Amino acid sequence: MSAFTMDEIDALFKEWDKTGRSRETGGFLGDLLEIRIRDHKKKPVPISAAELEAVIVTRYGTPRKIEAISNFQEYGENPREAAYRQITGSARFADGMPAYIFCSGKKLVTSPVVLSGGCVAQLTWPNGFEIDLIFNRADLPQWQKLHDSAIALIQSFIVEGAFPKETLLSAVNVRN
């Protein structure tokens, strides 16, 4: 027996739940947070905050302020997905890296009302431990709450030990 796809699960729940949730808001399961945990074979390479910003700009374009979500900017020149970040550079993930979030769907700068699509926030430690937080783009303004809740949930499963203390962010730019 093979696993159900998300569309099949969504269809099953819609049979029981007739509240009329729409595809634009992500369907029945669109408001849930998915957490994926991986351990890569190769150790990732440290990077400075300035170098990371340069990589994001190269891949996703120049950042633009989003009127619909205060204190957010969009790197929206990539046709497949956009990158997002709070304008204040102090927001960090639990792995110590600057918080960049990658989302599919229409660009918010050009279509601020349409929030369909999915987002991923990727956390990676120097030892290769990685956590992907996947959520509906409608929840983008609450990314910090989703991040903190997911980290608290994962930490509640840790019996002996903790998350790695190191970060991939080069020591020179940790304060930036």
Side-chain angles (χ1 to χ4, degrees):
M1 176 179 212
S2 63
F4 286 108
T5 66
M6 291 303 286
D7 287 339
E8 290 170 330
I9 293 170
D10 192 40
L12 288 171
F13 273 103
K14 282 184 180 174
E15 287 300 313
W16 296 308
D17 178 40
K18 301 292 184 180
T19 59
R21 290 178 177 90
S22 69
R23 278 252 178 250
E24 287 73 35
T25 58
F28 181 79
L29 297 175
D31 57 349
L32 297 180
L33 173 68
E34 180 182 346
I35 302 170
R36 288 190 207 149
I37 299 174
R38 288 193 291 271
D39 186 12
H40 289 286
K41 305 277 187 235
K42 291 183 180 179
K43 287 192 173 187
V45 178
I47 190 169
S48 71
E51 290 170 328
L52 180 57
E53 175 71 9
V55 169
I56 298 297
V57 168
T58 300
R59 291 183 185 168
Y60 296 95
T62 306
R64 292 174 284 181
K65 186 175 178 353
I66 302 169
E67 298 302 323
I69 305 174
S70 63
N71 199 31
F72 253 80
Q73 61 188 15
E74 176 180 68
Y75 303 75
E77 295 172 23
N78 185 316
R80 290 184 305 277
E81 66 180 356
Y84 298 91
R85 183 173 180 214
Q86 282 185 297
I87 291 173
T88 55
S90 61
R92 302 250 185 252
F93 289 137
D95 63 358
M97 295 298 286
Y100 290 95
I101 300 162
F102 306 96
C103 302
S104 62
K106 291 184 180 179
K107 310 305 178 230
L108 291 176
V109 170
T110 58
S111 183
V113 177
V114 180
L115 290 173
S116 63
C119 294
V120 63
Q122 189 175 64
L123 292 68
T124 307
W125 282 267
N127 66 354
F129 181 67
E130 182 178 290
I131 299 173
D132 290 346
L133 306 175
I134 302 156
F135 54 93
N136 190 297
R137 196 168 76 168
D139 295 322
L140 183 60
Q142 291 83 31
W143 76 267
Q144 185 76 55
K145 182 179 177 184
L146 293 171
H147 168 272
D148 295 349
S149 298
I151 295 301
L153 176 66
I154 293 167
Q155 285 178 326
S156 74
F157 294 122
I158 298 174
V159 176
E160 293 180 17
F163 284 126
K165 300 244 185 272
E166 304 86 21
T167 178
L168 284 174
L169 191 61
S170 298
V172 173
N173 291 313
V174 170
R175 287 183 229 118
N176 293 343

